[in-house]
Amino acid sequence: MTDPAPLLRRMVDDLTSTGVLDPPWREAFLAVPRHAFIPDTIWRQQRRELVPFHRADDPLRWLEMTYAPTQVLITQVDDGNPVGPGLIGDRISSSASQPNVVALMLAALTAEPGMTVCEIGTGTGYNAALLAHRLGAQNVTTIEVDAELATRAGGALAAAGYARVTVVTGDGAHGYPPRAPYDRILSTAAVGQVPSAWVEQTRPGGRVVTPWGTAYLNGALLALTVGEDNTATGRLVDNVAFMWLRDQRLPLTWVRDCVYDEDKALVSHTHIQPSKVTDDYHAALAIGLQVPECEYRFCRAKDDSGEYTVWFLDPSSRSWASIDYAPGAETYEVNQLGPRHLWDEVEAAYTWWVQANSPTSDQWRFTITPTGQHVDLTGTLRREHAPTIAKGA
Ligand SMILES: C[S@@+](CC[C@H](N)C(=O)[O-])C[C@H]1O[C@@H](n2cnc3c(N)ncnc32)[C@H](O)[C@@H]1O
């Protein structure tokens, strides 16, 4: 096998030079052989399909991919049972996150040697190995919902010298009370609702770090500090996209399955250029918070006309909307059908966001209590512009 050492060093140098690797984590990144955690078969996205790539077919390419600083490696599809012929998959169910994202999440965790940590989403075990190297293997608990993945990761951790990591098969939404309280909880799967168990199982003053998102926008990193009274407060500190925690996972939604009776849709027009409600990260975040259960899909015309359609979908209420863009147009046609008028909701949320001086992602304050998650705005907004968005537990 090609010597992985130069590839590993190049990855660490790259993470260092881009400033994403917190210096105290450098030694752990140099010590843990990432390739030892990556399965021989990984998947690559080709259009809508997830196509397997076997190490034996191109060992050097496989090794290079395992040390690419910004490459996510898909390590399981369809919960371990690929739905297509020849192992072709539909949906990503486990991955080794991009090393640069791993590094930024560990920086956000602010963990120190000797602290106890519970990781949700063991996956390959690579992140658990980094934690074990820096904090001490006996201080690391990691929970994986998929038994096969947990067993494989446990083996890889032991082979790499981190046998004392506690690998648990179970639903990480409940944390792992036998080893609580923890100084830190780090989830490597996204949530829309932070489970109250994570707050309950973290020591006062400790930290919970998790990818967070809405149906509209999956793509933020939430860092919370736990208080004395089983509550936690915090804010969004970065922009990351992750697979959902299994229990909070949304069904795969295709436009063709959600859109029906197009000839019966309510037709209207808007001056808002559709890309305004999708392309601005901060706007999309505010829309997602105020328009629950709404996803969107961007469909470009196959010709080079520059035209596109954005579809807004809420499969649970059988509501859909579409807006058509054509270059040079001043108004855009909207079609909507179903109990919810999704475009009207999106437009109202976007208009609110503009009128509220376009709040940025870090202005949303999160409070997690035993009864639920509350998100409201901080900062200089006028009071009448500051909604409180309470979500049930
Ligand atoms: C992005 S991967 C984690 C990557 C991993 N930390 C690593 O270093 O390879 C997310 C993992 O979370 C797991 N997962 C999803 N829902 C879970 C749950 N409710 N409890 C525990 N693990 C869960 C998935 O099976 C998947 O392996």
Side-chain angles (χ1 to χ4, degrees):
M1 182 175 110
T2 312
D3 180 11
L7 293 172
L8 185 148
R9 177 156 284 278
R10 200 189 314 154
M11 177 187 85
V12 175
D13 287 347
D14 187 286
L15 297 175
T16 306
S17 67
T18 52
V20 72
L21 182 58
D22 204 13
W25 283 100
R26 187 180 157 86
E27 202 217 307
F29 273 79
L30 281 171
V32 176
R34 188 164 191 257
H35 70 279
F37 291 85
I38 306 301
D40 288 346
T41 298
I42 54 183
W43 280 261
R44 295 194 285 194
Q45 183 98 41
Q46 284 178 12
R47 294 171 180 271
R48 283 189 182 171
E49 289 181 338
L50 300 166
V51 178
F53 173 77
H54 305 290
R55 180 180 187 170
D57 292 343
D58 190 343
L60 180 58
R61 181 78 199 106
W62 178 91
L63 193 62
E64 285 169 346
M65 285 198 289
T66 68
Y67 286 104
T70 58
Q71 185 158 357
V72 61
L73 298 175
I74 301 168
T75 50
Q76 190 199 59
V77 297
D78 304 327
D79 301 340
N81 297 303
V83 295
L87 296 183
I88 288 178
D90 226 8
R91 179 179 196 135
I92 302 169
S93 50
S94 191
S95 63
S97 313
Q98 305 168 209
N100 62 334
V101 170
V102 173
L104 78 84
M105 288 176 71
L106 289 173
L109 196 63
T110 63
E112 303 285 341
M115 283 185 173
T116 55
V117 63
C118 179
E119 181 197 34
I120 317 298
T122 313
T124 62
Y126 174 65
N127 196 44
L130 294 169
L131 288 163
H133 191 86
R134 175 127 192 268
L135 310 187
Q138 70 284 5
N139 294 324
V140 178
T141 305
T142 179
I143 312 173
E144 171 56 54
V145 73
D146 184 298
E148 240 172 75
L149 293 178
T151 304
R152 191 187 174 282
L157 282 160
Y162 306 111
R164 293 188 69 197
V165 170
T166 301
V167 182
V168 178
T169 300
D171 183 355
H174 304 306
Y176 187 62
R179 300 254 298 166
Y182 305 100
D183 295 305
R184 299 287 185 266
I185 286 189
L186 173 64
S187 175
T188 58
V191 295
Q193 302 285 314
V194 177
S196 55
W198 296 357
V199 177
E200 282 154 24
Q201 292 173 34
T202 304
R203 241 184 264 291
R207 220 162 146 80
V208 175
V209 172
T210 180
W212 178 90
T214 61
Y216 199 83
L217 178 84
N218 170 356
L221 185 65
L222 175 62
L224 299 157
T225 301
V226 174
E228 294 286 345
D229 49 355
N230 271 345
T231 65
T233 54
R235 63 186 181 86
L236 302 175
V237 294
D238 222 309
N239 170 356
V240 295
F242 265 75
M243 71 187 60
W244 295 98
L245 198 71
R246 191 74 67 93
D247 341 46
Q248 299 190 20
R249 187 161 79 174
L250 299 168
L252 278 182
T253 306
W254 303 110
V255 171
R256 61 169 186 263
D257 297 333
C258 295
V259 175
Y260 61 98
D261 290 350
E262 282 187 75
D263 53 328
K264 297 199 176 111
L266 200 67
V267 180
S268 59
H269 290 83
T270 179
H271 290 284
I272 295 179
Q273 189 175 315
S275 64
K276 298 234 184 243
V277 300
T278 57
D279 288 6
D280 186 302
Y281 176 70
H282 304 287
L285 191 76
I287 294 168
L289 275 164
Q290 294 177 76
V291 187
E293 319 296 329
C294 175
E295 303 172 46
Y296 73 82
R297 300 283 180 271
F298 201 95
C299 299
R300 234 170 253 294
K302 290 207 172 74
D303 54 31
D304 55 6
S305 62
E307 294 175 6
Y308 63 82
T309 299
V310 183
W311 297 91
F312 302 90
L313 312 166
D314 170 17
S316 61
S317 72
R318 295 196 75 230
S319 304
W320 63 265
S322 66
I323 176 164
D324 298 320
Y325 171 82
E330 286 180 2
T331 61
Y332 308 97
E333 184 175 299
V334 173
N335 285 255
Q336 25 193 1
L337 194 66
R340 291 179 73 183
H341 291 174
L342 291 174
W343 170 256
D344 294 352
E345 291 185 41
V346 169
E347 185 177 41
Y350 175 74
T351 305
W352 167 85
W353 177 79
V354 172
Q355 289 174 351
N357 301 330
S358 312
T360 49
S361 56
D362 57 341
Q363 282 180 267
W364 294 97
R365 183 184 52 201
F366 286 67
T367 307
I368 317 300
T369 71
T371 57
Q373 170 177 291
H374 308 269
V375 189
D376 56 23
L377 267 177
T378 59
T380 54
L381 291 172
R382 291 202 305 276
R383 212 163 165 63
E384 68 268 27
H385 282 149
T388 292
I389 293 149
K391 294 184 167 188

